């Protein structure tokens, strides 16, 4: 099989697929149109997020048998069109579930214990104890929205901190030893921390908006390691200003470029988030550890070879 690699990934993908007699071509720089012009030559494509694989792209790939996304999110692929064309879609959310879960816990600990603020103050000769009194995770009710690979790994970690973990998911019957499934309405009644672990779809775009925030019974901490456009930033900022949202941990932002390479918009809401002591912001790296890079690639290779060797 002839496979086109459109993004740089761990070298084990190339090494192991070549060993299985796949024919590979790397193209990390061609534009969307340039790739469209030659895609019919290939049986498979391995991507991250650089180029959107829309209906036009897929129809030009007349010989495509699979698309492999090294990662979890599939929003840059026209999934219905791929299904109609009989193209298998492969991803590897198992590969970075642990890094995402650890990132969630890490951000919460930094935010709730004012670790970054206190450290910077001491380094600048400022010694404040009462002002930097922390808030414990122990005993908090954490509401996860989405209970796939990321949600389950996060629940496992937080249950070890003595949190009561509940979750909402569109699929039924997912409760386990780490978390109990509830309705979204019940989650809004009980949760003191809310963390998103959902894909970006028409149903989840701006799921967290003014209405969502106003329906939360408790003032709460908010975590987003999913997708930036799951959250309406203006409503998030308003919630932070009012105190309804006690603090936010954001690894993703509404204003990211679709390839996640950088921010493409700057405005007053974004400026507030970046300036606020109540907000921790990281550059879309929750699933971006040395270990996850290898695991993401290995899961992709294993799935491709299971189907095509």
């Amino acid at each position: 099989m002839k496979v086109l690699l459109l993004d740089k990934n761990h070298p084990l993908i190339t090494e192991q697929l070549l060993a299985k007699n796949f024919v590979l071509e790397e193209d990390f720089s061609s534009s969307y149109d340039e790739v469209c012009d030659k895609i019919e030559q290939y049986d498979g494509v391995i991507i991250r997020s650089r180029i959107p694989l829309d209906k036009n792209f897929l129809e030009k790939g007349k010989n495509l048998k699979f698309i492999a996304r090294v990662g979890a999110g599939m929003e840059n692929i026209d999934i219905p069109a791929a299904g109609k064309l009989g193209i298998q879609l492969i991803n590897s959310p198992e590969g970075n579930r642990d890094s995402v879960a650890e990132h969630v816990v890490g951000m919460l600990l930094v935010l709730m214990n004012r670790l970054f603020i206190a450290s910077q103050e001491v380094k600048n000769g400022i010694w404040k104890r009462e002002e930097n009194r922390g808030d414990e995770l122990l005993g908090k009710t954490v509401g996860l929205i989405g209970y796939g690979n990321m949600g389950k790994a996060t629940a496992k970690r937080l249950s070890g901190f003595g949190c009561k973990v509940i979750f909402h998911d569109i699929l039924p019957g997912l409760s386990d030893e780490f978390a109990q499934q509830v309705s979204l309405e019940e989650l809004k009644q009980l949760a003191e921390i809310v963390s998103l672990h959902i894909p970006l779809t028409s149903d989840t775009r701006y799921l967290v908006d003014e209405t969502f925030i106003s329906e939360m019974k408790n003032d709460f901490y908010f975590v987003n390691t999913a997708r930036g456009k799951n959250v309406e930033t203006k409503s998030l900022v308003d919630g932070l200003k009012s105190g309804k949202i006690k603090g936010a941990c954001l690894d993703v932002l509404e204003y990211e470029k679709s390839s996640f390479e950088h921010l493409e918009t700057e405005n007053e809401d974004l400026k507030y988030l970046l300036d606020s002591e109540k907000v921790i912001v990281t550059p879309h790296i929750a699933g971006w550890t040395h270990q996850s890079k290898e695991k993401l690639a290995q899961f992709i290779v294993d799935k491709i070879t299971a189907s095509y060797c």
Side-chain angles (χ1 to χ4, degrees):
M1 298 185 74
K2 189 175 182 182
V3 179
L4 178 63
L5 288 76
L6 287 174
D7 298 90
K8 292 181 180 179
N9 285 294
H10 196 284
L12 73 80
I13 293 179
T14 300
E15 294 165 5
Q16 294 186 20
L17 290 182
L18 286 175
K20 295 286 186 178
N21 296 318
F22 285 78
V23 177
L24 306 181
E25 180 181 323
E26 296 177 345
D27 186 344
F28 304 146
S29 60
S30 290
S31 68
Y32 168 87
D33 289 333
E34 290 170 334
V35 176
C36 279
D37 288 342
K38 65 178 182 178
I39 191 60
E40 66 178 341
Q41 304 173 33
Y42 302 95
D43 301 295
V45 180
I46 299 176
I47 64 166
R48 286 196 65 87
S49 53
R50 184 173 69 88
I51 290 180
L53 276 59
D54 56 15
K55 183 179 179 181
N56 173 65
F57 183 103
L58 299 177
E59 288 179 344
K60 288 181 179 295
K62 297 178 181 178
N63 295 306
L64 282 178
K65 297 176 179 62
F66 73 86
I67 296 166
R69 160 71 159 102
V70 183
M74 306 286 273
E75 67 271 11
N76 63 328
I77 303 170
D78 188 330
I79 295 174
K84 290 178 182 178
L85 293 167
I87 301 171
Q88 181 186 7
L89 299 182
I90 301 167
N91 66 343
S92 55
E94 307 92 340
N96 59 358
R97 60 190 172 194
D98 297 315
S99 61
V100 169
E102 291 187 11
H103 199 89
V104 169
V105 174
M107 286 198 298
L108 281 170
L109 291 173
V110 169
L111 178 72
M112 295 171 66
N113 292 283
R114 297 175 60 85
L115 298 180
F116 180 76
I117 296 167
S119 177
Q120 290 299 109
E121 287 177 349
V122 173
K123 289 180 178 182
N124 285 287
I126 302 168
W127 189 271
K128 295 181 179 180
R129 297 185 69 229
E130 184 59 36
E131 295 87 344
N132 286 311
R133 192 180 288 274
D135 192 9
E136 295 181 8
L137 278 171
L138 178 66
K140 294 284 194 299
T141 298
V142 180
L144 308 178
I145 301 180
Y147 205 62
N149 281 280
M150 314 302 175
K152 291 176 183 177
T154 301
K156 183 176 180 180
R157 269 73 174 180
L158 288 172
S159 64
F161 278 85
C163 296
K164 177 182 179 182
V165 186
I166 58 177
F167 69 90
H168 172 69
D169 196 282
I170 59 174
L171 298 177
L174 298 179
S175 293
D176 58 23
E177 61 186 304
F178 303 114
Q180 177 186 356
Q181 188 162 7
V182 299
S183 67
L184 187 57
E185 291 70 28
E186 189 173 355
L187 184 146
K188 290 177 181 178
Q189 287 294 306
L190 298 175
E192 300 164 277
I193 299 170
V194 173
S195 185
L196 300 188
H197 301 277
I198 50 179
L200 181 61
T201 68
S202 57
D203 292 329
T204 64
R205 185 179 294 268
Y206 301 132
L207 174 69
V208 177
D209 58 7
E210 181 181 6
T211 300
F212 181 103
I213 294 167
S214 68
E215 290 175 349
M216 289 291 297
K217 180 180 179 181
N218 302 311
D219 295 346
F220 66 102
Y221 295 101
F222 178 70
V223 185
N224 189 12
T225 56
R227 288 293 183 263
K229 288 184 172 60
N230 292 137
V231 180
E232 187 178 69
T233 305
K234 184 181 186 307
S235 298
L236 175 65
V237 169
D238 290 343
L240 287 162
K241 289 179 177 178
S242 72
K244 185 66 180 181
I245 299 177
K246 298 166 73 173
C249 303
L250 308 174
D251 182 55
V252 291
L253 293 163
E254 179 182 356
Y255 310 116
E256 284 181 80
K257 190 176 178 182
S258 60
S259 60
F260 314 134
E261 293 169 344
H262 54 74
L263 295 173
E264 61 179 358
T265 303
E266 293 186 14
N267 56 39
E268 288 303 309
D269 290 329
L270 176 61
K271 186 176 187 303
Y272 177 87
L273 295 178
L274 298 180
D275 291 343
S276 175
E277 287 191 349
K278 296 195 292 184
V279 181
I280 300 291
V281 185
T282 52
H284 205 129
I285 57 169
W288 206 253
T289 62
H290 296 292
Q291 293 81 7
S292 71
K293 182 176 182 179
E294 181 173 350
K295 288 188 284 187
L296 285 164
Q298 191 62 65
F299 275 108
I300 283 293
V301 170
D302 291 345
K303 290 179 181 182
I304 292 173
T305 54
S307 295
Y308 299 102
C309 287

